[in-house]
Coordinates of all heavy atoms in Angstrom, one line a residue:
Chain B
D138 N 84.7 65.2 170.3 CA 85.7 65.3 171.3 C 86.2 64.0 171.8 O 87.4 63.8 172.1 CB 85.1 66.1 172.5 CG 85.2 67.6 172.2 OD1 85.7 68.0 171.1 OD2 84.7 68.4 173.1
A139 N 85.2 63.1 172.1 CA 85.5 61.8 172.6 C 86.4 61.0 171.6 O 87.4 60.4 172.0 CB 84.2 61.1 172.9
I140 N 86.0 61.1 170.3 CA 86.8 60.3 169.3 C 88.2 60.9 169.3 O 89.2 60.1 169.3 CB 86.1 60.5 167.9 CG1 84.8 59.7 167.9 CG2 87.1 60.0 166.8 CD1 84.0 59.9 166.7
E141 N 88.3 62.2 169.4 CA 89.7 62.8 169.4 C 90.5 62.2 170.6 O 91.7 61.8 170.5 CB 89.6 64.3 169.5 CG 90.9 65.0 169.5 CD 90.8 66.5 169.7 OE1 89.7 67.0 169.6 OE2 91.8 67.1 169.8
K142 N 89.9 62.2 171.8 CA 90.6 61.7 173.0 C 90.9 60.2 172.8 O 92.1 59.8 173.1 CB 89.6 61.8 174.2 CG 89.8 63.1 174.9 CD 90.9 63.1 175.9 CE 91.4 64.5 176.2 NZ 90.3 65.4 176.7
L143 N 90.0 59.4 172.3 CA 90.2 58.0 172.1 C 91.3 57.7 171.1 O 92.1 56.8 171.2 CB 89.0 57.3 171.7 CG 87.9 57.1 172.8 CD1 86.6 56.6 172.2 CD2 88.4 56.2 173.9
L144 N 91.4 58.6 170.1 CA 92.4 58.4 169.1 C 93.8 59.0 169.4 O 94.7 58.9 168.6 CB 91.9 58.9 167.7 CG 90.7 58.1 167.1 CD1 90.4 58.7 165.8 CD2 91.0 56.6 167.0
S145 N 93.8 59.8 170.5 CA 95.0 60.6 170.7 C 96.3 59.8 170.8 O 97.4 60.4 170.5 CB 94.8 61.5 171.9 OG 94.5 60.7 173.1
P146 N 96.3 58.5 171.2 CA 97.5 57.8 171.1 C 98.2 57.7 169.8 O 99.4 57.6 169.6 CB 97.1 56.4 171.6 CG 95.9 56.5 172.4 CD 95.2 57.7 171.8
L147 N 97.3 57.9 168.7 CA 97.9 57.8 167.4 C 98.8 59.0 167.0 O 99.4 59.1 166.0 CB 96.7 57.8 166.3 CG 95.9 56.6 166.4 CD1 94.7 56.6 165.3 CD2 96.7 55.3 166.1
K148 N 98.7 60.0 167.9 CA 99.6 61.2 167.7 C 101.1 60.8 167.6 O 101.9 61.5 167.0 CB 99.4 62.2 168.8 CG 98.1 63.1 168.6 CD 98.0 64.1 169.7 CE 96.6 64.8 169.6 NZ 96.2 65.4 170.8
I149 N 101.4 59.7 168.3 CA 102.8 59.3 168.2 C 103.2 59.0 166.8 O 104.4 59.2 166.4 CB 103.0 58.0 169.1 CG1 102.4 58.2 170.4 CG2 104.4 57.6 169.1 CD1 102.3 56.9 171.2
F150 N 102.3 58.5 166.0 CA 102.6 58.2 164.6 C 102.4 59.5 163.7 O 102.3 59.4 162.5 CB 101.8 57.1 164.1 CG 101.9 55.9 164.9 CD1 100.8 55.4 165.6 CD2 103.1 55.2 165.0 CE1 100.9 54.2 166.4 CE2 103.2 54.0 165.8 CZ 102.1 53.6 166.5
K151 N 102.4 60.6 164.3 CA 102.3 61.9 163.6 C 100.9 62.0 162.8 O 100.9 62.6 161.8 CB 103.4 62.1 162.6 CG 104.8 62.2 163.3 CD 105.4 63.6 162.9 CE 106.3 64.1 163.9 NZ 107.5 63.7 164.4
I152 N 99.9 61.3 163.3 CA 98.6 61.5 162.7 C 97.9 62.7 163.3 O 97.8 62.8 164.5 CB 97.8 60.2 162.9 CG1 98.4 59.1 162.1 CG2 96.3 60.4 162.4 CD1 97.8 57.7 162.3
P153 N 97.5 63.7 162.5 CA 96.9 64.9 163.1 C 95.5 64.7 163.6 O 94.5 65.1 163.0 CB 96.9 65.9 161.9 CG 96.8 65.0 160.7 CD 97.5 63.7 161.0
V154 N 95.4 64.0 164.8 CA 94.1 63.6 165.3 C 93.2 64.8 165.6 O 92.0 64.8 165.2 CB 94.3 62.8 166.6 CG1 93.0 62.5 167.2 CG2 95.1 61.6 166.3
S155 N 93.7 65.9 166.2 CA 92.9 67.1 166.5 C 92.3 67.7 165.2 O 91.1 68.1 165.2 CB 93.7 68.1 167.2 OG 94.6 67.5 168.1
T156 N 93.1 67.8 164.2 CA 92.7 68.4 162.9 C 91.5 67.5 162.4 O 90.5 68.0 161.9 CB 93.8 68.5 161.9 OG1 94.9 69.0 162.6 CG2 93.4 69.3 160.8
L157 N 91.7 66.2 162.4 CA 90.7 65.3 161.8 C 89.4 65.4 162.6 O 88.3 65.5 162.1 CB 91.2 63.8 161.9 CG 92.3 63.5 161.0 CD1 92.8 62.1 161.1 CD2 91.9 63.7 159.5
A158 N 89.6 65.6 164.0 CA 88.4 65.7 164.8 C 87.7 67.0 164.5 O 86.4 67.1 164.4 CB 88.8 65.7 166.3
M159 N 88.4 68.1 164.3 CA 87.8 69.4 163.9 C 87.1 69.3 162.6 O 86.0 69.8 162.5 CB 88.9 70.5 163.9 CG 88.4 71.8 163.5 SD 87.1 72.4 164.5 CE 88.0 73.1 165.9
M160 N 87.7 68.6 161.7 CA 87.0 68.4 160.4 C 85.7 67.7 160.5 O 84.7 68.1 159.9 CB 87.9 67.6 159.4 CG 89.0 68.5 158.8 SD 90.3 67.5 158.1 CE 89.5 66.5 156.9
M161 N 85.7 66.7 161.4 CA 84.5 66.0 161.6 C 83.4 66.8 162.3 O 82.2 66.8 161.8 CB 84.7 64.8 162.5 CG 84.3 63.5 161.9 SD 84.9 62.1 162.9 CE 83.4 61.9 163.9
T162 N 83.8 67.6 163.3 CA 82.9 68.5 163.9 C 82.2 69.4 162.9 O 81.0 69.6 162.9 CB 83.6 69.4 165.0 OG1 84.4 68.5 165.8 CG2 82.6 70.1 165.9
L163 N 83.1 70.0 162.1 CA 82.6 71.0 161.1 C 81.6 70.3 160.1 O 80.6 70.9 159.8 CB 83.7 71.6 160.4 CG 84.6 72.5 161.2 CD1 85.7 73.1 160.4 CD2 83.8 73.6 161.9
A164 N 82.0 69.1 159.7 CA 81.2 68.4 158.7 C 79.8 68.2 159.3 O 78.8 68.4 158.7 CB 81.8 67.1 158.3
L165 N 79.8 67.7 160.5 CA 78.5 67.4 161.2 C 77.7 68.7 161.4 O 76.5 68.7 161.1 CB 78.7 66.8 162.6 CG 79.2 65.3 162.6 CD1 79.5 64.8 164.0 CD2 78.1 64.5 161.9
R166 N 78.4 69.7 161.8 CA 77.7 71.0 162.0 C 77.0 71.5 160.8 O 76.0 72.1 160.8 CB 78.8 72.0 162.5 CG 78.5 73.5 162.2 CD 77.4 74.0 163.1 NE 77.1 75.4 162.8 CZ 76.4 75.7 161.7 NH1 76.0 74.8 160.8 NH2 76.2 77.0 161.5
F167 N 77.6 71.2 159.6 CA 77.0 71.9 158.4 C 76.0 71.0 157.6 O 75.5 71.4 156.7 CB 78.2 72.3 157.4 CG 78.8 73.6 157.8 CD1 80.0 73.7 158.5 CD2 78.0 74.8 157.6 CE1 80.5 74.9 158.9 CE2 78.6 76.0 158.0 CZ 79.8 76.0 158.6
I168 N 75.8 69.8 158.1 CA 74.8 69.0 157.4 C 73.4 69.6 157.4 O 72.8 69.8 156.3 CB 74.7 67.5 158.1 CG1 76.0 66.8 157.7 CG2 73.5 66.8 157.6 CD1 76.0 65.4 158.3
P169 N 72.9 70.1 158.6 CA 71.5 70.7 158.5 C 71.5 72.0 157.6 O 70.6 72.2 156.9 CB 71.2 71.1 160.0 CG 72.3 70.5 160.8 CD 73.4 70.0 159.9
T170 N 72.6 72.7 157.7 CA 72.7 74.0 156.9 C 72.6 73.6 155.4 O 71.9 74.3 154.7 CB 74.1 74.7 157.2 OG1 74.3 74.7 158.6 CG2 74.0 76.1 156.6
L171 N 73.4 72.6 155.0 CA 73.4 72.2 153.6 C 72.0 71.7 153.2 O 71.5 72.0 152.1 CB 74.4 71.1 153.4 CG 75.8 71.5 153.2 CD1 76.7 70.4 152.9 CD2 75.9 72.6 152.1
I172 N 71.3 71.0 154.0 CA 70.0 70.5 153.7 C 69.0 71.7 153.4 O 68.3 71.7 152.5 CB 69.5 69.5 154.8 CG1 70.3 68.2 154.8 CG2 68.0 69.2 154.6 CD1 70.0 67.3 155.9
D173 N 69.1 72.6 154.3 CA 68.3 73.8 154.2 C 68.6 74.5 152.8 O 67.7 75.0 152.1 CB 68.5 74.8 155.3 CG 67.7 74.5 156.5 OD1 66.9 73.5 156.4 OD2 67.9 75.1 157.6
E174 N 69.9 74.6 152.6 CA 70.4 75.3 151.4 C 69.8 74.6 150.1 O 69.4 75.2 149.2 CB 71.9 75.3 151.4 CG 72.5 76.1 150.3 CD 72.9 77.5 150.8 OE1 72.7 77.8 152.0 OE2 73.3 78.3 149.9
I175 N 69.9 73.3 150.1 CA 69.4 72.5 149.0 C 68.0 72.8 148.7 O 67.5 73.0 147.6 CB 69.7 71.0 149.2 CG1 71.2 70.7 149.2 CG2 69.0 70.2 148.1 CD1 71.5 69.2 149.5
D176 N 67.2 72.8 149.8 CA 65.8 73.1 149.7 C 65.5 74.4 149.1 O 64.7 74.6 148.2 CB 65.1 73.1 151.1 CG 64.5 71.7 151.4 OD1 64.6 70.8 150.6 OD2 64.0 71.6 152.5
R177 N 66.3 75.4 149.6 CA 66.1 76.8 149.1 C 66.4 76.9 147.6 O 65.6 77.5 146.9 CB 67.0 77.7 149.9 CG 66.3 78.9 150.5 CD 67.2 79.6 151.6 NE 68.6 79.6 151.1 CZ 69.2 80.6 150.4 NH1 68.4 81.6 150.0 NH2 70.4 80.6 150.1
I178 N 67.6 76.4 147.2 CA 68.0 76.5 145.8 C 67.0 75.7 144.9 O 66.6 76.2 143.9 CB 69.4 76.0 145.7 CG1 70.4 76.9 146.5 CG2 69.8 76.1 144.2 CD1 71.8 76.4 146.5
T179 N 66.6 74.6 145.3 CA 65.7 73.8 144.5 C 64.4 74.6 144.3 O 63.9 74.6 143.1 CB 65.3 72.4 145.2 OG1 66.5 71.8 145.7 CG2 64.6 71.5 144.3
N180 N 63.9 75.2 145.3 CA 62.7 76.0 145.2 C 62.9 77.1 144.2 O 62.0 77.4 143.3 CB 62.2 76.5 146.5 CG 61.4 75.4 147.3 OD1 61.0 74.4 146.7 ND2 61.3 75.6 148.5
A181 N 64.0 77.8 144.3 CA 64.3 78.9 143.5 C 64.4 78.5 142.0 O 63.8 79.2 141.1 CB 65.6 79.6 143.9
Q182 N 65.0 77.4 141.7 CA 65.1 76.9 140.3 C 63.7 76.4 139.8 O 63.4 76.6 138.7 CB 66.2 75.8 140.2 CG 67.5 76.2 140.7 CD 68.1 77.5 140.0 OE1 67.4 78.3 139.4 NE2 69.4 77.6 140.1
K183 N 63.0 75.8 140.7 CA 61.6 75.3 140.3 C 60.8 76.5 139.9 O 60.0 76.5 139.0 CB 60.9 74.7 141.5 CG 61.1 73.2 141.5 CD 60.2 72.6 142.6 CE 60.5 71.2 143.0 NZ 59.9 70.9 144.3
A184 N 61.0 77.7 140.6 CA 60.2 78.8 140.3 C 60.6 79.4 138.9 O 59.8 80.1 138.3 CB 60.5 79.9 141.4
R185 N 61.8 79.0 138.4 CA 62.1 79.4 137.1 C 61.8 78.2 136.1 O 62.3 78.2 135.0 CB 63.6 79.7 137.0 CG 63.9 81.0 137.8 CD 65.2 81.7 137.2 NE 66.4 81.1 137.7 CZ 67.6 81.4 137.2 NH1 67.7 82.1 136.1 NH2 68.7 80.9 137.7
G186 N 61.0 77.3 136.5 CA 60.5 76.3 135.6 C 61.4 75.1 135.5 O 61.2 74.3 134.6
A187 N 62.4 74.9 136.3 CA 63.3 73.8 136.3 C 62.4 72.5 136.5 O 61.6 72.5 137.4 CB 64.4 73.8 137.3
N188 N 62.7 71.5 135.7 CA 61.8 70.3 135.7 C 62.7 69.2 136.3 O 63.5 68.6 135.6 CB 61.4 69.9 134.3 CG 60.1 69.1 134.4 OD1 59.8 68.5 135.4 ND2 59.4 69.0 133.3
L189 N 62.5 68.9 137.6 CA 63.4 67.9 138.2 C 62.8 66.5 138.3 O 63.5 65.5 138.6 CB 63.6 68.4 139.7 CG 64.3 69.7 139.8 CD1 64.3 70.2 141.2 CD2 65.7 69.7 139.2
D190 N 61.5 66.4 138.0 CA 60.8 65.1 138.2 C 60.7 64.2 137.0 O 60.4 63.0 137.1 CB 59.5 65.3 138.9 CG 59.6 66.2 140.1 OD1 60.6 66.0 140.9 OD2 58.7 67.0 140.4
D191 N 60.7 64.9 135.8 CA 60.5 64.1 134.6 C 61.8 63.8 133.8 O 62.8 64.4 134.1 CB 59.5 64.8 133.7 CG 58.2 65.0 134.4 OD1 57.8 64.2 135.2 OD2 57.5 66.1 134.2
G192 N 61.6 63.1 132.8 CA 62.8 62.8 131.9 C 63.5 61.6 132.2 O 63.3 60.9 133.2
N193 N 64.4 61.2 131.3 CA 65.2 60.0 131.5 C 66.4 60.3 132.4 O 66.6 61.4 132.9 CB 65.6 59.4 130.1 CG 66.5 60.4 129.4 OD1 67.2 61.2 130.0 ND2 66.4 60.4 128.0
F194 N 67.2 59.2 132.6 CA 68.3 59.3 133.5 C 69.2 60.5 133.2 O 69.5 61.3 134.1 CB 69.1 58.0 133.5 CG 70.2 57.9 134.5 CD1 69.9 57.8 135.8 CD2 71.5 57.9 134.1 CE1 70.9 57.8 136.8 CE2 72.5 57.9 135.0 CZ 72.2 57.8 136.3
I195 N 69.7 60.6 132.0 CA 70.6 61.7 131.6 C 70.0 63.1 131.8 O 70.6 63.9 132.4 CB 71.0 61.6 130.1 CG1 71.5 60.2 129.8 CG2 72.0 62.7 129.7 CD1 73.0 60.0 130.0
Q196 N 68.7 63.2 131.4 CA 68.1 64.5 131.6 C 68.0 64.9 133.1 O 68.1 66.0 133.4 CB 66.7 64.4 131.0 CG 66.7 64.6 129.5 CD 65.3 64.3 128.9 OE1 64.6 63.4 129.4 NE2 65.0 64.9 127.8

Side-chain angles (χ1 to χ4, degrees):
Chain B
D138 277 2
I140 291 174
E141 181 181 352
K142 272 273 159 55
L143 287 173
L144 294 182
S145 58
L147 293 179
K148 278 181 189 159
I149 308 171
F150 304 114
K151 295 243 156 61
I152 294 175
V154 178
S155 323
T156 313
L157 292 177
M159 177 54 82
M160 279 162 60
M161 236 173 94
T162 313
L163 293 180
L165 285 175
R166 153 70 184 77
F167 278 104
I168 289 176
T170 315
L171 278 185
I172 291 175
D173 280 353
E174 188 96 4
I175 292 173
D176 265 0
R177 229 166 42 86
I178 297 173
T179 311
N180 281 343
Q182 305 301 21
K183 268 193 198 159
R185 292 206 276 166
N188 202 344
L189 302 170
D190 306 323
D191 300 326
N193 61 32
F194 183 69
I195 306 273
Q196 279 168 330

